[in-house]
Amino acid sequence: MKRTLRTTVLTVGALIAAFGLPAGAAHADDTPRIDLRVLLVSDGGPSTDAIAAELTDTGTPFTEIDLARSGRQVIDADFLADTVDGRARAKFQAVVLPDDDPFAAGSSEMAALTAYEQTYSIPQVDAYTYARPQAGLQVPTDGGYSGSIDGIQADVTDAGKAGPFGYLSGTVPFEDNDPSVNESYAYLSQPVTGADFTPYVEATIPGTSTKGSLVGEYRHDGRRELVVTFVYNQYQEQFRLLARGIVEWMTGGVHLGASRNYFSVHVDDVFAADDRWNSELNCTPGDVDCTDSDATADPIRMTPDDVDYAVSWEQSKGFTFDLAFNGVGSVDQRDDNNGVDLLADKLVADKNDFRWINHTYTHAFLGCVQNTTVVPWVCETDADGSTQWVSQDTISDEIATNRAWAETNGLPLESDELITGEHSGLRVLPQQPDDNPNLAPALAANGIDWLGSDNSRESAQRQVGAAETVPRYPMNVFYNVAKAAEEVDEYNWLYTSRAQGGSGLCEDNPATTTCLSAPLDTGTGYAGYIVPLETRIALGHVLSDDPRPHYIHQSNLTEDRIAYPVLNGVLDGYRALFADNTPVVSLRMKDIGTELKRRADWQTALQAGQVTAYRIGDAVTVQAPAGLEVTATLPTGTTLAGSAFGSAYAGAVSGWTPSTGDPLSLTLPATTATTAVTTAASTAPATDPAPHTRVPAGVAEPATATATATN
């Protein structure tokens, strides 16, 4: 039977009545209130988990319903909507489902969601669904494809660039990190003839020149669905690239929370020299764990040419290094060379090309007093067994003397930032399970508010007295190497088995993620294996809305300058993926600490139910406790009390604004309130039910790679 295509326009008031709300529920102006909260219905699979992780990281509130949990909340009209002060209220601005219809046939819950979405123009994300006519797509057997798409390059369509994915440059690479594992499974197909379906991201169907949709918008029956037909987890690059657009699509670009892509690099031990790895002894002469009496130190120190190279590189990349410095390195150099230190002269002359961080004067260990006559070292104890600690005066002297040296040399230093040598003073397991009790008072006495910590030991920000830590990612570009061959030799020692000449670390700690099945070639292993791996790990942090800085050492900027291939891989790779409106953000340490603190406070307030937000037409209202900084992402041109809100990023504006406890009232730039709902043409009925969209065999969540902490 031929269906008659028709378009029906209904007022919101009529739809509210049709939805079964109580008589008199509609407000006088008929504009409903839409709460800024997402409903996420989860099947426990990686795709809905990934979207939940993105909403959490962004700081966008959501309510999760686990379909597998007994006694869970039933989704019905009362759960989805009600009235507040006589105005109809939609409790969720978007709905995320595991697939286009995860309920049993004839489900009252799906019927309630359908009516809700039609009534309030609420968009629905199908996190991972089979390509079928009910989702606006042909089944894959009709000229499409189902299977692995590892290593393919997908494309953002013109509609995607003009719409929710306008922050991308145009390509979306799919990972292929392990040829033995199917990492990305997908259904590729074209829209059903006559369907109102707009592909946003598509890829070539294997064996053809035809494009098939991976992400697209399907409009039908007065509803809008974002149809995603590939499986993913929260760590995969393809999801990280598309996650922002998925959130922007589902929220219409109006939501609490915000995200940016961050990358900052600290270079430790500047002015000092780092001891060099000894490939025969498999240790570093000068370090406490290298006890061979015949070991001879071979220090590594930058040269003026390395400074010129660094400045030129920064200018070419539009990037700034943060140099963590030890003033005694220059003092010792001058003492040993008749007052000459060409490196320090050059760095001081170019001081404004860098940001500077106090790394203590001598890089002394500021935790317990170390007994280095044993390997591994232990803390010295008093006769009663109590730990001997480095004194508060010693810690203060390290901070203040380095600060005074910087002032004498005119370095533009932020006096409230500090990174101790080896992050010492903070607890380090197993030898020192507690912070040095003298650390916090020394920090307070010297006005330190932000203290660098090692993210591989402590990933969460925490207080040390009045100061807050700033966790830093160690890169597996080791502190004690300046040549590619040295890096590979030490890497082989750390990550191969004893039978292969290695340390056996991986045998003793099977959870280590950087283990090797065989030693790398010292001539090719760095460029061929370590650089791509470290680039991927660091770029993964950048794409995860993670502001934590990475750290390397001055030894990595000299001789073979081995840090640059990794840094180039991150920055060049990023710029190939993103449009100019989405630059990488590089913050200095105190600003990173502030961002982390704001986020923690925001998450605490969300979890406590202390924040409410809603939209009525062009007006957005946020209620939050006094003193809490509120974060939101809104369309360009949004105002707060008559002034522009936020700053531009990724085609929108976002930022933080303090709450006084009174409602914050924001005005969107142009009317986008829903006053009518259009019902699109009906599509042909499905022939067979869609297969349950389970994760295909071999698709697994990758372990997060772990770098070895370095001093």
Side-chain angles (χ1 to χ4, degrees):
M1 181 179 72
K2 182 178 178 180
R3 295 195 175 200
T4 301
L5 304 183
R6 61 177 181 164
T7 299
T8 303
V9 179
L10 300 174
T11 66
V12 168
L15 282 169
I16 290 171
F19 199 53
L21 292 176
H27 196 270
D29 64 7
D30 262 4
T31 305
R33 162 179 159 169
I34 310 295
D35 282 5
L36 301 189
R37 174 174 286 271
V38 173
L39 173 61
L40 188 143
V41 180
S42 171
D43 63 352
S47 299
T48 48
D49 284 355
I51 294 176
E54 174 67 12
L55 294 172
T56 299
D57 292 344
T58 304
T60 300
F62 66 98
T63 295
E64 183 170 359
I65 293 178
D66 182 355
L67 293 177
R69 186 173 65 83
S70 62
R72 66 170 176 83
Q73 170 67 51
V74 174
I75 300 171
D76 57 21
D78 291 338
F79 173 71
L80 296 169
D82 60 9
T83 60
V84 175
D85 297 329
R87 184 186 298 275
R89 175 177 72 149
K91 298 180 184 179
F92 307 100
Q93 67 181 134
V95 174
V96 178
L97 299 181
D99 53 64
D100 66 294
D101 185 356
F103 303 97
S107 165
S108 61
E109 291 186 290
M110 193 67 226
L113 283 169
T114 297
Y116 175 71
E117 293 170 12
Q118 291 170 333
T119 301
Y120 295 102
S121 293
I122 301 299
Q124 172 182 308
V125 174
D126 305 334
Y128 166 52
T129 195
Y130 181 70
R132 62 178 190 154
Q134 293 96 323
L137 294 168
Q138 300 174 16
V139 294
T141 53
D142 291 342
Y145 170 81
S146 60
S148 173
I149 55 170
D150 291 3
I152 64 104
Q153 289 279 343
D155 297 307
V156 181
T157 65
D158 289 342
K161 291 177 184 177
F165 301 102
Y167 58 91
L168 294 173
S169 66
T171 60
V172 180
F174 276 62
E175 291 182 351
D176 187 13
N177 300 318
D178 187 343
S180 66
V181 175
N182 288 330
E183 299 163 29
S184 301
Y185 192 96
Y187 305 107
L188 287 169
S189 67
Q190 293 190 306
V192 170
T193 301
D196 186 355
F197 191 102
T198 303
Y200 288 145
V201 181
E202 56 188 13
T204 301
I205 296 173
T208 76
S209 59
T210 303
K211 297 282 190 179
S213 179
L214 287 167
V215 182
E217 179 175 337
Y218 180 38
R219 293 174 178 263
H220 65 108
D221 303 325
R223 300 166 62 210
R224 298 167 54 234
E225 294 181 50
L226 191 71
V227 179
V228 183
T229 57
F230 70 94
V231 71
Y232 48 88
N233 64 56
Q234 62 183 293
Y235 304 104
Q236 290 181 301
E237 182 175 293
Q238 54 266 32
F239 174 71
R240 298 299 342 152
L241 291 172
L242 297 172
R244 177 188 298 276
I246 292 172
V247 172
E248 294 310 296
W249 183 90
M250 75 167 76
T251 62
V254 179
H255 63 88
L256 295 180
S259 69
R260 279 168 163 71
N261 298 331
Y262 300 91
F263 189 52
S264 298
V265 177
H266 295 177
V267 183
D268 287 8
D269 304 350
V270 172
F271 297 118
D274 289 299
D275 295 321
R276 191 185 303 269
W277 172 256
N278 186 303
S279 60
E280 294 181 359
L281 300 174
N282 290 320
C283 63
T284 306
D287 280 7
V288 296
D289 61 348
C290 198
T291 57
D292 192 303
S293 60
D294 296 326
T296 302
D298 181 13
I300 308 165
R301 191 172 190 255
M302 290 175 65
T303 69
D305 286 346
D306 297 323
V307 179
D308 283 336
Y309 189 93
V311 171
S312 177
W313 180 86
E314 286 183 325
Q315 293 171 347
S316 71
K317 302 297 181 185
F319 191 82
T320 302
F321 282 126
D322 294 87
L323 303 187
F325 67 95
N326 310 102
V328 78
S330 178
V331 173
D332 289 346
Q333 181 73 11
R334 294 190 191 281
D335 286 347
D336 295 340
N337 293 275
N338 298 315
V340 175
D341 185 1
L342 298 179
L343 172 62
D345 292 343
K346 181 62 176 171
L347 281 168
V348 169
D350 293 344
K351 60 190 176 186
N352 293 323
D353 289 305
F354 308 100
R355 296 187 293 231
W356 297 87
I357 304 174
N358 189 343
H359 195 31
T360 72
Y361 187 59
T362 70
H363 201 281
F365 189 84
L366 302 179
C368 65
V369 177
Q370 291 177 296
N371 175 359
T372 60
T373 63
V374 294
V375 177
W377 61 268
V378 296
C379 291
E380 292 279 13
T381 58
D382 292 328
D384 62 0
S386 59
T387 300
Q388 294 182 17
W389 299 104
V390 172
S391 70
Q392 179 180 335
D393 286 346
T394 298
I395 299 171
S396 289
D397 187 61
E398 282 287 330
I399 299 169
T401 304
N402 209 43
R403 182 183 291 165
W405 185 90
E407 292 171 352
T408 299
N409 287 275
L411 298 184
L413 186 66
E414 293 286 344
S415 62
D416 56 354
E417 299 176 336
L418 177 71
I419 302 168
T420 57
E422 301 180 57
H423 305 102
S424 59
L426 296 173
R427 57 192 178 218
V428 53
L429 297 175
Q431 296 101 317
Q432 185 193 310
D434 301 307
D435 294 342
N436 183 342
N438 298 317
L439 177 63
L443 298 177
N446 287 275
I448 301 299
D449 297 323
W450 308 105
L451 178 66
S453 63
D454 189 333
N455 190 79
S456 67
R457 296 173 183 166
E458 297 184 87
S459 60
Q461 185 180 49
R462 67 179 177 93
Q463 282 192 293
V464 181
E468 296 277 354
T469 62
V470 179
R472 308 190 303 156
Y473 283 111
M475 284 186 164
N476 252 351
V477 182
F478 304 128
Y479 80 97
N480 52 359
V481 298
K483 299 181 183 299
E486 295 170 343
E487 165 78 9
V488 176
D489 184 84
E490 184 173 2
Y491 203 94
N492 284 339
W493 164 253
L494 286 171
Y495 300 126
T496 58
S497 67
R498 292 182 179 88
Q500 295 169 325
S503 65
L505 170 71
C506 290
E507 295 163 276
D508 298 337
N509 302 278
T512 305
T513 59
T514 40
C515 299
L516 297 170
S517 59
L520 302 174
D521 185 285
T522 55
T524 62
Y526 186 63
Y529 182 89
I530 298 175
V531 168
L533 176 59
E534 289 304 307
T535 297
R536 178 164 59 87
I537 292 170
L539 185 57
H541 298 154
V542 176
L543 301 183
S544 299
D545 184 30
D546 190 345
R548 292 173 179 82
H550 294 72
Y551 72 96
I552 56 174
H553 293 78
Q554 63 83 33
S555 53
N556 308 142
L557 302 186
T558 189
E559 298 181 22
D560 286 356
R561 297 171 178 159
I562 61 175
Y564 290 106
V566 176
L567 303 182
N568 288 337
V570 174
L571 292 174
D572 294 347
Y574 181 89
R575 286 167 184 156
L577 296 170
F578 287 88
D580 292 341
N581 67 358
T582 312
V584 70
V585 178
S586 183
L587 302 178
R588 72 169 306 130
M589 193 169 88
K590 65 188 301 180
D591 296 326
I592 295 170
T594 299
E595 177 71 15
L596 292 173
K597 183 67 169 62
R598 284 169 167 167
R599 291 186 186 193
D601 293 343
W602 177 249
Q603 289 291 352
T604 298
L606 289 181
Q607 292 167 11
Q610 297 175 333
V611 179
T612 59
Y614 58 89
R615 173 183 180 178
I616 301 175
D618 294 338
V620 172
T621 301
V622 183
Q623 181 74 58
L628 179 70
E629 294 217 45
V630 171
T631 180
T633 299
L634 300 165
T636 301
T638 297
T639 58
L640 174 63
S643 299
F645 170 78
S647 57
Y649 196 78
V653 292
S654 54
W656 296 90
T657 189
S659 171
T660 63
D662 295 325
L664 292 169
S665 298
L666 298 114
T667 303
L668 304 180
T671 182
T672 53
T674 302
T675 56
V677 178
T678 301
T679 303
S682 299
T683 60
T687 54
D688 295 307
H692 186 60
T693 48
R694 297 185 185 277
V695 182
V699 178
E701 176 182 303
T704 303
T706 303
T708 299
T710 53
N711 62 302

Short mmCIF file of all heavy atoms in Angstrom, two decimals, residues 95 143 157 172 269 304 308 319 351 392 396 412 427 436 449 458 489 516 569 572 581 587 638 700 709:
data_model
loop_
_atom_site.label_atom_id
_atom_site.label_comp_id
_atom_site.label_asym_id
_atom_site.label_seq_id
_atom_site.Cartn_x
_atom_site.Cartn_y
_atom_site.Cartn_z
N VAL A 95 18.43 12.41 25.08
CA VAL A 95 18.35 11.01 25.47
C VAL A 95 19.44 10.24 24.73
O VAL A 95 19.59 10.40 23.51
CB VAL A 95 16.97 10.41 25.13
CG1 VAL A 95 16.95 8.91 25.40
CG2 VAL A 95 15.87 11.11 25.92
N GLY A 143 24.26 -3.86 -0.41
CA GLY A 143 25.34 -3.05 -0.97
C GLY A 143 26.20 -2.34 0.05
O GLY A 143 27.05 -1.51 -0.32
N THR A 157 31.59 15.04 6.49
CA THR A 157 30.91 15.59 5.33
C THR A 157 30.76 17.10 5.46
O THR A 157 31.00 17.69 6.52
CB THR A 157 29.51 14.98 5.18
OG1 THR A 157 28.71 15.38 6.31
CG2 THR A 157 29.59 13.45 5.13
N VAL A 172 38.85 11.63 9.98
CA VAL A 172 38.77 10.94 11.26
C VAL A 172 39.45 9.59 11.09
O VAL A 172 38.85 8.64 10.58
CB VAL A 172 37.31 10.75 11.72
CG1 VAL A 172 37.26 10.02 13.06
CG2 VAL A 172 36.59 12.09 11.81
N ASP A 269 65.28 20.23 35.07
CA ASP A 269 66.73 20.21 35.31
C ASP A 269 67.50 21.21 34.44
O ASP A 269 68.70 21.03 34.18
CB ASP A 269 67.31 18.81 35.10
CG ASP A 269 66.65 17.75 35.96
OD1 ASP A 269 65.87 18.11 36.85
OD2 ASP A 269 66.89 16.56 35.72
N PRO A 304 74.31 26.32 24.00
CA PRO A 304 73.62 27.48 23.41
C PRO A 304 72.93 27.15 22.09
O PRO A 304 71.86 27.69 21.80
CB PRO A 304 74.75 28.49 23.23
CG PRO A 304 75.74 28.15 24.30
CD PRO A 304 75.71 26.66 24.39
N ASP A 308 68.98 27.91 20.80
CA ASP A 308 68.55 28.47 19.52
C ASP A 308 67.55 27.55 18.83
O ASP A 308 66.54 27.99 18.28
CB ASP A 308 69.76 28.69 18.59
CG ASP A 308 70.56 29.93 18.96
OD1 ASP A 308 69.99 30.85 19.58
OD2 ASP A 308 71.76 29.96 18.64
N PHE A 319 54.29 27.47 20.19
CA PHE A 319 54.25 26.72 21.44
C PHE A 319 55.32 27.27 22.38
O PHE A 319 56.32 27.83 21.92
CB PHE A 319 54.49 25.24 21.16
CG PHE A 319 54.22 24.32 22.32
CD1 PHE A 319 52.93 23.90 22.58
CD2 PHE A 319 55.25 23.85 23.12
CE1 PHE A 319 52.67 23.04 23.64
CE2 PHE A 319 55.01 23.00 24.17
CZ PHE A 319 53.70 22.58 24.43
N LYS A 351 65.26 34.65 27.81
CA LYS A 351 64.38 34.25 28.91
C LYS A 351 62.90 34.45 28.61
O LYS A 351 62.06 33.68 29.08
CB LYS A 351 64.76 35.04 30.17
CG LYS A 351 64.64 36.56 30.00
CD LYS A 351 65.26 37.30 31.17
CE LYS A 351 65.21 38.81 30.94
NZ LYS A 351 65.93 39.53 32.01
N GLN A 392 62.62 21.41 57.70
CA GLN A 392 61.88 22.51 57.07
C GLN A 392 62.84 23.58 56.59
O GLN A 392 62.65 24.16 55.51
CB GLN A 392 60.87 23.09 58.06
CG GLN A 392 60.07 24.26 57.48
CD GLN A 392 59.07 24.83 58.47
OE1 GLN A 392 58.62 24.14 59.39
NE2 GLN A 392 58.72 26.10 58.30
N SER A 396 63.04 25.02 52.80
CA SER A 396 62.87 26.45 52.55
C SER A 396 64.07 27.05 51.85
O SER A 396 63.94 27.89 50.95
CB SER A 396 62.61 27.19 53.87
OG SER A 396 61.33 26.90 54.38
N PRO A 412 61.64 35.65 34.46
CA PRO A 412 60.24 35.98 34.77
C PRO A 412 59.56 34.81 35.47
O PRO A 412 58.91 33.98 34.85
CB PRO A 412 59.64 36.26 33.39
CG PRO A 412 60.46 35.44 32.44
CD PRO A 412 61.85 35.41 33.01
N ARG A 427 54.99 11.74 49.22
CA ARG A 427 55.13 10.31 49.49
C ARG A 427 55.57 9.57 48.23
O ARG A 427 55.17 9.91 47.11
CB ARG A 427 53.81 9.74 50.00
CG ARG A 427 52.63 9.95 49.08
CD ARG A 427 51.33 9.63 49.78
NE ARG A 427 50.15 9.86 48.95
CZ ARG A 427 49.00 10.36 49.39
NH1 ARG A 427 48.88 10.69 50.67
NH2 ARG A 427 47.98 10.53 48.59
N ASN A 436 56.74 14.16 53.66
CA ASN A 436 57.61 14.75 54.68
C ASN A 436 56.77 15.77 55.46
O ASN A 436 56.24 16.72 54.87
CB ASN A 436 58.80 15.45 54.00
CG ASN A 436 59.79 16.03 55.00
OD1 ASN A 436 59.47 16.22 56.18
ND2 ASN A 436 60.98 16.33 54.51
N ASP A 449 51.73 27.86 46.21
CA ASP A 449 50.34 27.43 46.09
C ASP A 449 50.18 26.20 45.20
O ASP A 449 49.18 25.48 45.31
CB ASP A 449 49.48 28.56 45.52
CG ASP A 449 49.43 29.77 46.42
OD1 ASP A 449 49.39 29.59 47.66
OD2 ASP A 449 49.42 30.91 45.91
N GLU A 458 50.54 9.55 41.58
CA GLU A 458 49.31 10.11 42.12
C GLU A 458 48.63 10.92 41.01
O GLU A 458 49.08 12.01 40.68
CB GLU A 458 49.59 11.03 43.30
CG GLU A 458 50.22 10.36 44.51
CD GLU A 458 50.37 11.33 45.67
OE1 GLU A 458 49.41 11.48 46.44
OE2 GLU A 458 51.44 11.95 45.78
N ASP A 489 68.30 1.37 24.30
CA ASP A 489 69.00 0.42 25.17
C ASP A 489 68.36 0.37 26.55
O ASP A 489 68.12 -0.72 27.10
CB ASP A 489 70.47 0.82 25.28
CG ASP A 489 71.27 -0.19 26.09
OD1 ASP A 489 71.71 -1.21 25.51
OD2 ASP A 489 71.46 0.03 27.30
N LEU A 516 57.82 -5.52 26.15
CA LEU A 516 58.21 -5.90 24.79
C LEU A 516 58.30 -7.42 24.68
O LEU A 516 58.75 -8.09 25.60
CB LEU A 516 59.58 -5.29 24.44
CG LEU A 516 59.68 -3.77 24.41
CD1 LEU A 516 61.15 -3.35 24.29
CD2 LEU A 516 58.86 -3.19 23.27
N GLY A 569 55.16 14.92 16.63
CA GLY A 569 54.07 13.99 16.35
C GLY A 569 52.78 14.44 17.00
O GLY A 569 51.70 14.34 16.40
N ASP A 572 51.87 18.26 15.32
CA ASP A 572 51.53 18.15 13.90
C ASP A 572 50.32 17.25 13.70
O ASP A 572 49.46 17.52 12.86
CB ASP A 572 52.73 17.62 13.10
CG ASP A 572 53.90 18.59 13.09
OD1 ASP A 572 53.71 19.76 13.47
OD2 ASP A 572 55.01 18.16 12.72
N ASN A 581 39.63 26.83 14.51
CA ASN A 581 38.85 27.36 15.64
C ASN A 581 39.01 26.53 16.91
O ASN A 581 38.42 26.84 17.94
CB ASN A 581 37.37 27.49 15.27
CG ASN A 581 36.69 26.14 15.03
OD1 ASN A 581 37.32 25.08 15.11
ND2 ASN A 581 35.40 26.17 14.74
N LEU A 587 48.70 25.80 28.94
CA LEU A 587 48.64 26.60 30.16
C LEU A 587 49.90 26.45 30.98
O LEU A 587 50.56 25.41 30.94
CB LEU A 587 47.45 26.16 31.02
CG LEU A 587 46.06 26.22 30.40
CD1 LEU A 587 45.03 25.68 31.40
CD2 LEU A 587 45.70 27.62 29.97
N THR A 638 26.35 34.60 23.29
CA THR A 638 25.62 34.50 24.56
C THR A 638 26.12 35.56 25.53
O THR A 638 27.32 35.84 25.61
CB THR A 638 25.81 33.10 25.17
OG1 THR A 638 25.25 32.13 24.29
CG2 THR A 638 25.14 33.00 26.53
N ALA A 700 38.29 -4.80 22.13
CA ALA A 700 38.49 -4.71 23.57
C ALA A 700 38.95 -3.32 23.94
O ALA A 700 39.53 -2.60 23.14
CB ALA A 700 39.53 -5.74 24.04
N ALA A 709 58.27 6.43 35.81
CA ALA A 709 58.57 7.70 36.46
C ALA A 709 60.06 7.99 36.40
O ALA A 709 60.89 7.11 36.62
CB ALA A 709 58.10 7.66 37.92
#
